[in-house]
Amino acid sequence: MIGFEDLPRAERTEPRLATVCQPLEEIGRAMIRLLLLPEEIEEPAVDWRHVILRTGLVVRESAALC
């Protein structure tokens, strides 16, 4: 079983919960950059963008290693 966001309670469960963590500060910075791109303000080229950021896996007892 794997959780998401690496919340503090993941450490307190039994067994301790493995989690996927997101780079929240990087997500915020990417959103601001996308919202404030000057060329996009004048003439939007597309309605959406894909941004790929690195995530992490915190392995704890709830995940078996193969």
Side-chain angles (χ1 to χ4, degrees):
M1 181 183 306
I2 295 181
F4 205 70
E5 300 270 341
D6 197 25
L7 299 172
R9 69 182 132 205
E11 287 269 353
R12 297 189 297 263
T13 61
E14 187 59 44
R16 294 183 325 143
L17 186 62
T19 61
V20 173
C21 28
Q22 301 181 88
L24 298 178
E25 286 184 29
E26 250 185 280
I27 291 170
R29 283 193 294 270
M31 286 296 286
I32 295 299
R33 272 195 309 273
L34 290 171
L35 289 171
L36 298 179
L37 285 175
E39 64 273 9
E40 295 298 314
I41 292 171
E42 294 172 14
E43 189 176 327
V46 293
D47 293 337
W48 51 269
R49 296 247 187 229
H50 284 264
V51 177
I52 299 174
L53 302 173
R54 186 176 303 263
T55 59
L57 175 63
V58 179
V59 178
R60 295 189 181 103
E61 289 85 12
S62 70
L65 295 175
C66 298

